Coordinates of all heavy atoms in Angstrom, one line a residue:
M1 N -76.1 -55.0 -129.8 CA -77.4 -54.6 -130.0 C -77.7 -53.3 -129.2 O -78.4 -52.4 -129.7 CB -78.4 -55.7 -129.6 CG -79.8 -55.4 -129.8 SD -80.1 -55.6 -131.6 CE -81.9 -55.5 -131.5
R2 N -77.2 -53.2 -127.9 CA -77.5 -52.0 -127.1 C -76.7 -50.8 -127.5 O -77.1 -49.7 -127.3 CB -77.2 -52.4 -125.7 CG -78.2 -53.2 -125.0 CD -77.9 -53.3 -123.6 NE -79.2 -53.5 -122.9 CZ -79.3 -53.5 -121.6 NH1 -78.3 -53.3 -120.8 NH2 -80.5 -53.7 -121.0
L3 N -75.5 -51.0 -128.1 CA -74.6 -49.9 -128.4 C -75.3 -48.9 -129.4 O -75.2 -47.7 -129.1 CB -73.3 -50.4 -128.9 CG -72.2 -49.4 -129.1 CD1 -72.0 -48.6 -127.8 CD2 -70.9 -50.0 -129.6
P4 N -75.9 -49.3 -130.5 CA -76.6 -48.3 -131.3 C -77.7 -47.5 -130.7 O -77.8 -46.3 -130.9 CB -77.1 -49.2 -132.5 CG -76.3 -50.4 -132.5 CD -75.9 -50.6 -131.1
I5 N -78.4 -48.2 -129.8 CA -79.5 -47.5 -129.1 C -78.9 -46.4 -128.1 O -79.4 -45.3 -128.1 CB -80.4 -48.5 -128.3 CG1 -81.1 -49.4 -129.3 CG2 -81.4 -47.7 -127.4 CD1 -81.9 -50.5 -128.6
L6 N -77.9 -46.8 -127.4 CA -77.2 -45.8 -126.5 C -76.6 -44.7 -127.2 O -76.7 -43.5 -126.8 CB -76.2 -46.6 -125.6 CG -76.7 -47.5 -124.5 CD1 -75.6 -48.2 -123.8 CD2 -77.6 -46.8 -123.6
T7 N -76.0 -45.0 -128.3 CA -75.3 -43.9 -129.2 C -76.4 -43.0 -129.7 O -76.2 -41.7 -129.7 CB -74.6 -44.5 -130.3 OG1 -73.6 -45.5 -129.8 CG2 -73.9 -43.5 -131.1
S8 N -77.5 -43.5 -130.2 CA -78.6 -42.7 -130.7 C -79.2 -41.8 -129.5 O -79.4 -40.6 -129.7 CB -79.7 -43.6 -131.2 OG -80.8 -42.8 -131.6
F9 N -79.3 -42.4 -128.4 CA -79.9 -41.6 -127.2 C -78.9 -40.5 -126.8 O -79.3 -39.4 -126.6 CB -80.1 -42.6 -126.0 CG -80.5 -41.9 -124.8 CD1 -81.8 -41.4 -124.7 CD2 -79.7 -41.6 -123.8 CE1 -82.3 -40.7 -123.6 CE2 -80.1 -41.0 -122.6 CZ -81.4 -40.5 -122.5
A10 N -77.6 -40.8 -126.8 CA -76.6 -39.8 -126.4 C -76.6 -38.7 -127.4 O -76.4 -37.5 -127.0 CB -75.2 -40.5 -126.2
T11 N -76.7 -39.0 -128.7 CA -76.6 -38.0 -129.7 C -77.9 -37.1 -129.6 O -77.8 -35.9 -129.7 CB -76.6 -38.6 -131.1 OG1 -75.5 -39.5 -131.2 CG2 -76.6 -37.6 -132.2
T12 N -79.0 -37.7 -129.4 CA -80.3 -36.9 -129.2 C -80.2 -36.0 -128.0 O -80.5 -34.8 -128.1 CB -81.5 -37.8 -129.1 OG1 -81.5 -38.6 -130.3 CG2 -82.8 -37.0 -129.0
A13 N -79.7 -36.5 -126.9 CA -79.5 -35.7 -125.7 C -78.6 -34.5 -125.9 O -78.8 -33.4 -125.5 CB -79.1 -36.6 -124.5
A14 N -77.5 -34.8 -126.6 CA -76.5 -33.7 -126.8 C -77.1 -32.6 -127.7 O -76.9 -31.4 -127.5 CB -75.3 -34.3 -127.5
L15 N -77.9 -33.0 -128.7 CA -78.5 -32.0 -129.6 C -79.5 -31.2 -128.8 O -79.6 -29.9 -129.0 CB -79.2 -32.7 -130.7 CG -78.3 -33.2 -131.8 CD1 -79.1 -34.0 -132.8 CD2 -77.5 -32.1 -132.5
L16 N -80.3 -31.8 -127.9 CA -81.3 -31.1 -127.1 C -80.6 -30.1 -126.2 O -81.1 -28.9 -126.0 CB -82.2 -32.0 -126.3 CG -83.2 -32.8 -127.2 CD1 -83.9 -33.9 -126.3 CD2 -84.2 -31.9 -127.8
V17 N -79.6 -30.5 -125.5 CA -78.9 -29.6 -124.6 C -78.2 -28.5 -125.3 O -78.3 -27.3 -124.9 CB -77.8 -30.4 -123.8 CG1 -76.9 -29.5 -123.0 CG2 -78.5 -31.4 -122.9
S18 N -77.6 -28.7 -126.5 CA -77.0 -27.6 -127.2 C -78.0 -26.6 -127.7 O -77.7 -25.4 -127.8 CB -76.1 -28.2 -128.3 OG -77.0 -28.7 -129.3
A19 N -79.2 -27.0 -128.0 CA -80.2 -26.1 -128.5 C -80.7 -25.2 -127.4 O -81.1 -24.0 -127.7 CB -81.4 -26.9 -129.0
C20 N -80.6 -25.6 -126.2 CA -81.0 -24.7 -125.0 C -80.0 -23.6 -124.8 O -80.3 -22.7 -124.1 CB -81.2 -25.6 -123.8 SG -82.6 -26.7 -123.9
G21 N -78.8 -23.8 -125.2 CA -77.8 -22.8 -124.8 C -77.5 -21.8 -125.9 O -76.4 -21.2 -125.9
S22 N -78.4 -21.6 -126.8 CA -78.1 -20.6 -127.9 C -78.1 -19.2 -127.4 O -78.8 -18.9 -126.4 CB -79.1 -20.8 -129.0 OG -80.4 -20.4 -128.6
S23 N -77.3 -18.3 -128.0 CA -77.3 -16.9 -127.6 C -77.5 -16.1 -128.8 O -77.4 -16.5 -129.9 CB -75.9 -16.6 -127.0 OG -74.9 -16.9 -127.9
P24 N -77.9 -14.8 -128.6 CA -78.1 -13.9 -129.7 C -76.9 -13.8 -130.7 O -75.8 -13.8 -130.2 CB -78.5 -12.5 -129.1 CG -78.6 -12.7 -127.7 CD -78.0 -14.1 -127.3
A25 N -77.2 -13.7 -132.0 CA -76.1 -13.5 -132.9 C -75.4 -12.2 -132.7 O -75.9 -11.3 -132.2 CB -76.7 -13.6 -134.3
T26 N -74.1 -12.2 -133.1 CA -73.3 -11.0 -132.9 C -74.0 -9.8 -133.6 O -74.4 -10.0 -134.8 CB -71.9 -11.2 -133.5 OG1 -71.3 -12.4 -132.9 CG2 -71.0 -10.0 -133.3
G27 N -74.0 -8.7 -133.0 CA -74.6 -7.5 -133.6 C -76.1 -7.3 -133.2 O -76.7 -6.3 -133.5
Q28 N -76.7 -8.3 -132.7 CA -78.1 -8.2 -132.3 C -78.2 -7.7 -130.8 O -77.4 -8.0 -130.0 CB -78.8 -9.5 -132.3 CG -79.1 -10.0 -133.7 CD -79.9 -11.3 -133.7 OE1 -79.9 -12.0 -132.7 NE2 -80.6 -11.6 -134.8
A29 N -79.1 -6.8 -130.6 CA -79.4 -6.3 -129.3 C -80.0 -7.3 -128.4 O -80.9 -8.1 -128.9 CB -80.2 -5.0 -129.3
A30 N -79.7 -7.3 -127.1 CA -80.4 -8.2 -126.2 C -81.8 -7.7 -126.0 O -82.1 -6.5 -126.3 CB -79.6 -8.2 -124.9
D31 N -82.6 -8.5 -125.4 CA -84.0 -8.1 -125.1 C -84.0 -6.9 -124.2 O -83.2 -6.8 -123.3 CB -84.8 -9.2 -124.4 CG -85.1 -10.4 -125.3 OD1 -85.1 -10.2 -126.5 OD2 -85.3 -11.5 -124.8
P32 N -84.9 -5.9 -124.4 CA -84.9 -4.7 -123.6 C -85.3 -5.1 -122.2 O -86.0 -6.1 -121.9 CB -85.9 -3.8 -124.2 CG -86.8 -4.8 -125.0 CD -85.9 -5.9 -125.5
A33 N -84.9 -4.3 -121.2 CA -85.3 -4.6 -119.8 C -86.8 -4.5 -119.7 O -87.5 -3.7 -120.3 CB -84.7 -3.5 -118.9
P34 N -87.4 -5.5 -118.9 CA -88.8 -5.5 -118.7 C -89.3 -4.3 -118.0 O -88.6 -3.7 -117.2 CB -89.0 -6.7 -117.9 CG -87.7 -7.0 -117.2 CD -86.7 -6.5 -118.1
V35 N -90.5 -3.8 -118.4 CA -91.1 -2.7 -117.8 C -91.6 -3.1 -116.4 O -92.2 -4.1 -116.2 CB -92.3 -2.2 -118.6 CG1 -93.0 -1.0 -117.9 CG2 -91.8 -1.7 -120.0
S36 N -91.3 -2.3 -115.4 CA -91.7 -2.7 -114.0 C -93.2 -2.5 -113.8 O -93.7 -1.5 -114.2 CB -90.9 -1.8 -113.1 OG -91.4 -2.0 -111.7
S37 N -93.8 -3.5 -113.2 CA -95.2 -3.4 -112.9 C -95.3 -3.5 -111.4 O -96.3 -4.0 -110.9 CB -96.0 -4.4 -113.6 OG -95.5 -5.7 -113.3
R38 N -94.3 -3.1 -110.7 CA -94.2 -3.2 -109.2 C -95.3 -2.3 -108.7 O -95.4 -1.2 -109.1 CB -92.8 -2.9 -108.7 CG -92.7 -3.2 -107.3 CD -91.2 -3.0 -106.9 NE -90.9 -3.4 -105.6 CZ -90.6 -4.6 -105.2 NH1 -90.6 -5.6 -106.1 NH2 -90.4 -4.9 -103.9
C39 N -96.0 -2.7 -107.7 CA -97.1 -2.0 -107.1 C -96.6 -0.9 -106.2 O -95.6 -1.1 -105.5 CB -98.0 -3.0 -106.3 SG -99.3 -2.2 -105.4
N40 N -97.2 0.3 -106.2 CA -96.9 1.4 -105.3 C -98.2 1.9 -104.8 O -99.0 2.5 -105.5 CB -96.2 2.5 -106.1 CG -95.9 3.7 -105.2 OD1 -96.2 3.7 -104.0 ND2 -95.5 4.8 -105.8
A41 N -98.5 1.5 -103.5 CA -99.8 1.8 -102.9 C -100.1 3.3 -102.7 O -101.3 3.6 -102.6 CB -100.0 1.0 -101.6
A42 N -99.1 4.1 -102.6 CA -99.3 5.5 -102.2 C -100.3 6.2 -103.2 O -101.2 6.9 -102.7 CB -98.0 6.3 -102.2
P43 N -100.2 6.1 -104.5 CA -101.1 6.8 -105.4 C -102.5 6.2 -105.3 O -103.5 6.9 -105.8 CB -100.5 6.6 -106.8 CG -99.1 6.2 -106.6 CD -99.1 5.5 -105.3
A44 N -102.7 5.1 -104.7 CA -104.1 4.4 -104.6 C -104.8 4.7 -103.3 O -105.9 4.2 -103.1 CB -103.9 2.9 -104.9
Q45 N -104.1 5.5 -102.4 CA -104.7 5.8 -101.1 C -106.1 6.5 -101.2 O -106.8 6.6 -100.3 CB -103.7 6.5 -100.2 CG -102.5 5.7 -99.9 CD -102.8 4.4 -99.1 OE1 -103.7 4.4 -98.2 NE2 -102.1 3.4 -99.4
F46 N -106.3 7.2 -102.4 CA -107.6 7.9 -102.6 C -108.8 7.0 -102.3 O -109.9 7.4 -102.1 CB -107.6 8.5 -104.0 CG -108.0 7.4 -105.0 CD1 -109.3 7.2 -105.4 CD2 -107.0 6.6 -105.6 CE1 -109.6 6.2 -106.3 CE2 -107.3 5.7 -106.5 CZ -108.6 5.5 -106.9
A47 N -108.6 5.6 -102.5 CA -109.7 4.7 -102.4 C -110.2 4.5 -101.0 O -111.3 4.0 -100.8 CB -109.2 3.3 -103.0
V48 N -109.4 4.8 -99.9 CA -109.8 4.6 -98.6 C -111.0 5.4 -98.3 O -111.1 6.6 -98.6 CB -108.6 5.0 -97.6 CG1 -109.1 4.9 -96.1 CG2 -107.4 4.1 -97.8
G49 N -112.0 4.7 -97.7 CA -113.3 5.3 -97.4 C -114.4 5.2 -98.5 O -115.5 5.5 -98.3
R50 N -113.9 4.8 -99.7 CA -114.9 4.7 -100.8 C -115.4 3.2 -100.9 O -114.7 2.3 -100.5 CB -114.2 5.1 -102.1 CG -113.9 6.6 -102.0 CD -113.2 7.1 -103.3 NE -113.9 6.9 -104.5 CZ -113.5 7.2 -105.7 NH1 -112.3 7.8 -105.8 NH2 -114.2 7.0 -106.8
N51 N -116.5 3.0 -101.5 CA -117.1 1.7 -101.7 C -116.3 1.0 -102.9 O -116.1 1.6 -103.9 CB -118.5 1.7 -102.1 CG -119.4 2.0 -100.8 OD1 -119.0 1.7 -99.7 ND2 -120.5 2.7 -101.1
A52 N -115.9 -0.2 -102.6 CA -115.2 -1.0 -103.6 C -116.1 -1.5 -104.7 O -117.1 -2.2 -104.4 CB -114.4 -2.2 -103.0
D53 N -115.9 -1.1 -105.9 CA -116.6 -1.6 -107.1 C -115.6 -1.8 -108.2 O -114.4 -1.5 -108.0 CB -117.8 -0.7 -107.4 CG -117.4 0.7 -107.8 OD1 -116.2 0.9 -108.1 OD2 -118.3 1.5 -107.9
A54 N -116.0 -2.3 -109.3 CA -115.1 -2.6 -110.4 C -114.4 -1.4 -110.9 O -113.2 -1.4 -111.2 CB -115.9 -3.2 -111.6
A55 N -115.1 -0.2 -111.0 CA -114.4 1.0 -111.4 C -113.4 1.5 -110.5 O -112.3 1.9 -110.9 CB -115.5 2.1 -111.6
L56 N -113.6 1.4 -109.2 CA -112.7 1.8 -108.2 C -111.5 0.9 -108.2 O -110.3 1.3 -108.1 CB -113.3 1.8 -106.8 CG -112.3 2.3 -105.6 CD1 -112.1 3.8 -105.7 CD2 -112.8 1.9 -104.3
E57 N -111.7 -0.4 -108.3 CA -110.6 -1.4 -108.3 C -109.7 -1.1 -109.5 O -108.5 -1.1 -109.4 CB -111.2 -2.8 -108.4 CG -111.9 -3.3 -107.2 CD -112.6 -4.6 -107.4 OE1 -112.2 -5.4 -108.3 OE2 -113.6 -4.8 -106.8
N58 N -110.3 -0.9 -110.7 CA -109.5 -0.6 -111.9 C -108.7 0.7 -111.7 O -107.5 0.7 -112.1 CB -110.4 -0.5 -113.1 CG -109.6 -0.5 -114.4 OD1 -108.7 -1.2 -114.6 ND2 -110.0 0.4 -115.3
E59 N -109.3 1.7 -111.2 CA -108.6 3.0 -111.1 C -107.5 2.9 -110.1 O -106.4 3.4 -110.3 CB -109.6 4.1 -110.7 CG -108.9 5.5 -110.6 CD -109.9 6.6 -110.3 OE1 -111.1 6.4 -110.2 OE2 -109.4 7.7 -110.1
A60 N -107.7 2.2 -109.0 CA -106.7 2.1 -107.9 C -105.6 1.2 -108.5 O -104.4 1.6 -108.3 CB -107.3 1.4 -106.7
R61 N -105.9 0.2 -109.2 CA -104.8 -0.7 -109.8 C -104.0 0.1 -110.8 O -102.7 0.0 -110.7 CB -105.5 -1.9 -110.5 CG -104.4 -2.8 -111.1 CD -105.1 -3.9 -112.0 NE -105.9 -3.3 -113.1 CZ -105.4 -2.7 -114.2 NH1 -104.1 -2.6 -114.4 NH2 -106.3 -2.1 -115.1
T62 N -104.6 0.9 -111.6 CA -103.9 1.7 -112.6 C -103.0 2.7 -111.9 O -101.8 2.9 -112.3 CB -104.9 2.4 -113.5 OG1 -105.7 1.4 -114.2 CG2 -104.2 3.2 -114.6
R63 N -103.5 3.4 -110.9 CA -102.7 4.5 -110.2 C -101.6 3.8 -109.5 O -100.5 4.4 -109.4 CB -103.6 5.2 -109.2 CG -104.6 6.2 -109.9 CD -105.1 7.1 -108.8 NE -106.2 7.9 -109.3 CZ -106.8 8.9 -108.6 NH1 -106.4 9.2 -107.4 NH2 -107.7 9.6 -109.1
A64 N -101.8 2.6 -109.0 CA -100.7 2.0 -108.2 C -99.7 1.3 -109.1 O -98.6 0.9 -108.7 CB -101.3 0.9 -107.3
G65 N -100.0 1.2 -110.4 CA -99.1 0.6 -111.4 C -99.0 -0.9 -111.2 O -98.0 -1.6 -111.6
A66 N -100.0 -1.5 -110.6 CA -100.1 -2.9 -110.3 C -100.7 -3.7 -111.5 O -101.5 -3.2 -112.3 CB -100.9 -3.2 -109.1
K67 N -100.3 -5.0 -111.7 CA -100.9 -5.8 -112.7 C -102.2 -6.4 -112.3 O -103.0 -6.7 -113.1 CB -99.9 -7.0 -113.0 CG -98.8 -6.6 -114.0 CD -98.1 -7.9 -114.4 CE -97.1 -7.6 -115.4 NZ -96.3 -8.8 -115.9
A68 N -102.4 -6.6 -111.0 CA -103.6 -7.2 -110.5 C -104.1 -6.5 -109.2 O -103.3 -5.8 -108.6 CB -103.3 -8.7 -110.2
V69 N -105.3 -6.7 -108.9 CA -105.9 -6.1 -107.7 C -106.8 -7.2 -107.1 O -107.4 -8.0 -107.8 CB -106.7 -4.9 -108.0 CG1 -107.9 -5.1 -108.9 CG2 -107.2 -4.2 -106.7
R70 N -106.8 -7.3 -105.8 CA -107.8 -8.2 -105.1 C -108.4 -7.4 -103.9 O -107.8 -6.6 -103.3 CB -107.1 -9.5 -104.6 CG -106.1 -9.3 -103.5 CD -105.6 -10.7 -103.1 NE -104.5 -10.5 -102.1 CZ -103.9 -11.5 -101.5 NH1 -104.2 -12.8 -101.8 NH2 -103.0 -11.3 -100.6
V71 N -109.7 -7.7 -103.7 CA -110.4 -7.2 -102.6 C -110.4 -8.2 -101.5 O -110.8 -9.3 -101.7 CB -111.9 -6.8 -103.0 CG1 -112.7 -6.2 -101.9 CG2 -111.8 -5.8 -104.2
L72 N -110.0 -7.7 -100.3 CA -109.9 -8.6 -99.1 C -111.1 -8.3 -98.2 O -111.1 -7.2 -97.6 CB -108.6 -8.5 -98.4 CG -107.4 -8.7 -99.3 CD1 -106.1 -8.4 -98.5 CD2 -107.3 -10.1 -99.8
R73 N -112.0 -9.2 -98.1 CA -113.2 -9.0 -97.2 C -113.0 -9.6 -95.8 O -112.2 -10.4 -95.7 CB -114.4 -9.6 -97.9 CG -114.6 -9.0 -99.3 CD -115.9 -9.5 -100.0 NE -116.0 -9.2 -101.4 CZ -116.0 -8.0 -101.9 NH1 -116.0 -6.9 -101.1 NH2 -116.1 -7.8 -103.2
P74 N -113.8 -9.1 -94.8 CA -113.6 -9.6 -93.5 C -113.9 -11.1 -93.5 O -114.8 -11.6 -94.1 CB -114.7 -8.9 -92.7 CG -115.0 -7.6 -93.5 CD -114.8 -8.0 -94.9
N75 N -113.0 -11.8 -92.7 CA -113.1 -13.2 -92.5 C -112.9 -14.1 -93.8 O -113.3 -15.2 -93.8 CB -114.5 -13.6 -91.8 CG -114.6 -12.9 -90.5 OD1 -113.7 -12.9 -89.7 ND2 -115.8 -12.3 -90.3
Q76 N -112.4 -13.4 -94.8 CA -112.2 -14.2 -96.1 C -110.8 -14.9 -96.0 O -109.9 -14.4 -95.5 CB -112.1 -13.2 -97.2 CG -111.8 -13.8 -98.6 CD -111.7 -12.8 -99.7 OE1 -112.0 -11.6 -99.5 NE2 -111.2 -13.2 -100.8
V77 N -110.8 -16.1 -96.4 CA -109.6 -16.9 -96.5 C -108.8 -16.4 -97.7 O -109.3 -16.4 -98.8 CB -109.8 -18.4 -96.6 CG1 -108.6 -19.2 -96.7 CG2 -110.7 -18.9 -95.4
V78 N -107.5 -16.0 -97.5 CA -106.7 -15.6 -98.6 C -105.3 -16.2 -98.5 O -104.9 -16.6 -97.4 CB -106.5 -14.0 -98.6 CG1 -107.8 -13.3 -98.8 CG2 -105.9 -13.5 -97.3
T79 N -104.6 -16.3 -99.6 CA -103.3 -16.8 -99.6 C -102.4 -15.7 -99.1 O -102.7 -14.5 -99.2 CB -102.8 -17.1 -101.1 OG1 -102.9 -15.9 -101.9 CG2 -103.7 -18.2 -101.7
M80 N -101.3 -16.1 -98.5 CA -100.4 -15.1 -97.8 C -99.1 -14.9 -98.6 O -98.2 -14.2 -98.1 CB -100.0 -15.6 -96.4 CG -101.3 -15.7 -95.5 SD -102.1 -14.1 -95.3 CE -100.9 -13.2 -94.4
E81 N -99.0 -15.4 -99.8 CA -97.8 -15.2 -100.6 C -97.7 -13.7 -101.0 O -98.7 -13.1 -101.3 CB -97.7 -16.1 -101.8 CG -98.3 -15.6 -103.1 CD -99.8 -15.7 -103.2 OE1 -100.4 -16.2 -102.3 OE2 -100.4 -15.2 -104.2
F82 N -96.5 -13.2 -101.1 CA -96.3 -11.8 -101.5 C -96.2 -11.7 -103.0 O -95.4 -12.4 -103.6 CB -95.0 -11.2 -100.8 CG -94.8 -9.8 -101.1 CD1 -95.5 -8.8 -100.4 CD2 -94.0 -9.4 -102.1 CE1 -95.3 -7.4 -100.7 CE2 -93.8 -8.0 -102.4 CZ -94.4 -7.1 -101.7
N83 N -96.9 -10.8 -103.6 CA -96.8 -10.6 -105.0 C -96.6 -9.1 -105.2 O -97.5 -8.3 -105.0 CB -98.1 -11.0 -105.7 CG -98.1 -10.8 -107.2 OD1 -97.2 -10.1 -107.7 ND2 -99.0 -11.4 -107.9
A84 N -95.4 -8.7 -105.6 CA -95.1 -7.2 -105.7 C -95.8 -6.6 -106.8 O -95.8 -5.3 -106.9 CB -93.6 -7.1 -106.0
E85 N -96.6 -7.3 -107.6 CA -97.3 -6.7 -108.8 C -98.8 -6.6 -108.5 O -99.6 -6.3 -109.3 CB -97.1 -7.6 -110.0 CG -95.7 -7.6 -110.5 CD -95.4 -8.5 -111.7 OE1 -96.3 -9.3 -111.9 OE2 -94.4 -8.2 -112.3
R86 N -99.2 -6.9 -107.2 CA -100.6 -6.9 -106.8 C -101.0 -5.9 -105.8 O -100.3 -5.7 -104.9 CB -101.0 -8.3 -106.3 CG -102.4 -8.4 -105.9 CD -102.8 -9.8 -105.4 NE -101.9 -10.3 -104.3 CZ -101.5 -11.5 -104.1 NH1 -102.0 -12.5 -104.9 NH2 -100.7 -11.8 -103.1
L87 N -102.1 -5.2 -106.0 CA -102.7 -4.3 -105.1 C -103.8 -4.9 -104.3 O -104.6 -5.6 -104.8 CB -103.3 -3.1 -105.9 CG -103.9 -2.0 -105.0 CD1 -102.8 -1.2 -104.2 CD2 -104.7 -1.0 -105.9
N88 N -103.8 -4.7 -103.0 CA -104.8 -5.3 -102.1 C -105.7 -4.2 -101.6 O -105.1 -3.1 -101.1 CB -104.1 -6.0 -100.9 CG -103.3 -7.2 -101.3 OD1 -103.8 -8.0 -102.0 ND2 -102.1 -7.3 -100.8
L89 N -107.0 -4.3 -101.7 CA -107.9 -3.4 -101.1 C -108.7 -4.1 -100.0 O -109.4 -5.0 -100.3 CB -108.9 -2.9 -102.2 CG -108.3 -2.2 -103.4 CD1 -109.4 -1.8 -104.4 CD2 -107.6 -0.9 -103.0
T90 N -108.4 -3.7 -98.8 CA -109.1 -4.4 -97.6 C -110.4 -3.6 -97.4 O -110.3 -2.3 -97.3 CB -108.2 -4.3 -96.4 OG1 -106.9 -5.0 -96.7 CG2 -108.8 -5.1 -95.2
V91 N -111.5 -4.3 -97.3 CA -112.8 -3.6 -97.1 C -113.4 -4.1 -95.8 O -113.1 -5.1 -95.3 CB -113.7 -3.8 -98.3 CG1 -113.1 -3.3 -99.6 CG2 -114.1 -5.3 -98.4
D92 N -114.4 -3.2 -95.3 CA -115.1 -3.6 -94.1 C -116.4 -4.3 -94.5 O -116.6 -4.6 -95.7 CB -115.4 -2.4 -93.2 CG -116.2 -1.3 -93.9 OD1 -116.9 -1.6 -95.0 OD2 -116.3 -0.2 -93.4
D93 N -117.3 -4.6 -93.5 CA -118.5 -5.3 -93.8 C -119.4 -4.6 -94.8 O -120.2 -5.2 -95.5 CB -119.3 -5.6 -92.5 CG -118.6 -6.7 -91.7 OD1 -118.0 -7.6 -92.2 OD2 -118.6 -6.6 -90.4
A94 N -119.3 -3.3 -94.8 CA -120.1 -2.5 -95.7 C -119.5 -2.4 -97.1 O -120.1 -1.8 -98.0 CB -120.4 -1.1 -95.1
G95 N -118.3 -2.9 -97.3 CA -117.7 -2.8 -98.6 C -116.8 -1.6 -98.8 O -116.4 -1.3 -100.0
R96 N -116.6 -0.8 -97.8 CA -115.8 0.4 -97.9 C -114.3 0.0 -97.7 O -114.0 -0.7 -96.8 CB -116.2 1.4 -96.8 CG -117.4 2.2 -97.2 CD -117.7 3.4 -96.3 NE -117.9 2.9 -94.9 CZ -119.0 2.4 -94.4 NH1 -120.1 2.4 -95.1 NH2 -119.1 2.0 -93.1
V97 N -113.5 0.6 -98.5 CA -112.0 0.3 -98.4 C -111.5 0.9 -97.1 O -111.7 2.1 -96.8 CB -111.3 0.9 -99.6 CG1 -109.8 0.7 -99.5 CG2 -111.8 0.3 -100.9
T98 N -110.8 0.1 -96.3 CA -110.2 0.5 -95.0 C -108.7 0.6 -95.1 O -108.0 1.2 -94.3 CB -110.6 -0.4 -93.9 OG1 -110.2 -1.7 -94.2 CG2 -112.1 -0.3 -93.6
R99 N -108.1 -0.1 -96.1 CA -106.7 -0.2 -96.2 C -106.3 -0.5 -97.6 O -106.9 -1.3 -98.3 CB -106.1 -1.3 -95.3 CG -104.6 -1.4 -95.3 CD -104.2 -2.4 -94.2 NE -102.7 -2.5 -94.2 CZ -102.0 -3.6 -94.5 NH1 -102.7 -4.7 -94.9 NH2 -100.7 -3.6 -94.5
V100 N -105.2 0.1 -98.1 CA -104.7 -0.1 -99.4 C -103.2 -0.5 -99.2 O -102.5 0.2 -98.6 CB -104.8 1.2 -100.3 CG1 -104.1 0.9 -101.7 CG2 -106.2 1.6 -100.5
S101 N -102.9 -1.7 -99.8 CA -101.5 -2.1 -99.7 C -101.1 -3.0 -100.9 O -101.9 -3.4 -101.7 CB -101.3 -3.0 -98.4 OG -102.2 -4.1 -98.5
C102 N -99.8 -3.2 -101.0 CA -99.3 -4.0 -102.1 C -98.9 -5.4 -101.5 O -98.6 -5.5 -100.3 CB -98.1 -3.4 -102.7 SG -98.5 -1.8 -103.6
G103 N -98.9 -6.3 -102.4 CA -98.5 -7.7 -101.9 C -99.5 -8.7 -102.4 O -99.5 -9.8 -102.4

């Protein structure tokens, strides 16, 4: 009684595993290399001394080539994980950018 169930299970598992290992057909090009969205803070340094608002955040993010931007306010709790695609704008109590960095 158990043998047909185990055989069926083994066959299903083998089919699932083999489906995961497929490769492109001969003659097809592999996926192109992904476009880098790594942040470069240097072009966004223009923001230092300016008030952080949505327009400034967007322009700084675009110039830095970052996918995301976050504004870091004084005494704000933030995550410390590094994200090479994120631009950080550190602001003072008045909302003026004091530092531009990636991560």
Side-chain angles (χ1 to χ4, degrees):
M1 183 77 167
R2 284 187 153 188
L3 188 57
I5 293 173
L6 290 176
T7 304
S8 176
F9 176 75
T11 303
T12 303
L15 287 172
L16 289 173
V17 170
S18 67
C20 294
S22 64
S23 61
T26 305
Q28 286 184 338
D31 290 338
V35 175
S36 175
S37 58
R38 189 171 186 88
C39 176
N40 176 8
Q45 294 300 318
F46 77 94
V48 174
R50 295 177 59 182
N51 286 331
D53 60 15
L56 180 75
E57 292 171 29
N58 188 47
E59 185 177 353
R61 181 191 54 76
T62 301
R63 287 192 189 187
K67 278 190 175 179
V69 62
R70 68 177 174 175
V71 177
L72 304 174
R73 303 186 190 297
N75 303 314
Q76 177 182 351
V77 177
V78 296
T79 59
M80 297 302 293
E81 90 283 355
F82 182 83
N83 180 346
E85 298 177 339
R86 178 177 56 212
L87 180 69
N88 295 312
L89 300 176
T90 304
V91 299
D92 61 14
D93 289 325
R96 281 186 302 275
V97 177
T98 59
R99 181 173 182 246
V100 177
S101 62
C102 294

